[in-house]
Amino acid sequence: KEGAAFISIVSSSPDLLKGIDSKKISAQQKAAGKAMHTYRQMIQSDKVSWTVVAAPSPAWAKKVFPEADEETAVQKLWNEIFKTTRVDREDPVQA
């Protein structure tokens, strides 16, 4: 409400909630939704500046490229992200 800006950096583990009781996950999501209501309302109505930056984690890279060692898997995943988003092109916006 005082004009803050928010940067969210996400790089979650694909197996983060593996083995967790789904009722606990549901309870957490409901509680977070309630607690974050005003925040989400402010973001969705563009009353604050915000951005989200996502980066592949080594765990995700190994999921996608299980045959590669961790460092190679991460590099391969970045290459696929660049290819998919056309960042590897001379003019990504035009592409």
Side-chain angles (χ1 to χ4, degrees):
K1 293 178 181 177
E2 296 176 15
F6 298 89
I7 300 174
S8 297
I9 303 171
V10 294
S11 184
S12 61
S13 167
D15 296 318
L16 180 65
L17 302 176
K18 186 177 182 176
I20 303 296
D21 182 353
S22 62
K23 290 179 184 175
K24 288 183 179 182
I25 295 169
S26 179
Q28 182 277 329
Q29 290 173 337
K30 286 178 186 176
K34 187 175 180 180
M36 302 295 284
H37 177 76
T38 301
Y39 167 78
R40 288 192 178 130
Q41 217 172 22
M42 299 282 286
I43 284 185
Q44 291 171 350
S45 63
D46 288 330
K47 292 183 179 174
V48 295
S49 298
W50 61 276
T51 191
V52 177
V53 179
S57 66
W60 267 112
K62 287 295 288 175
K63 274 271 196 218
V64 177
F65 300 105
E67 75 289 345
D69 64 81
E70 189 175 277
E71 185 177 337
T72 303
V74 169
Q75 185 58 50
K76 289 174 84 167
L77 187 52
W78 272 117
N79 289 341
E80 289 302 315
I81 291 168
F82 293 155
K83 180 179 165 186
T84 302
T85 59
R86 299 184 177 108
V87 173
D88 60 346
R89 306 278 181 94
E90 187 171 318
D91 186 347
V93 174
Q94 181 62 35

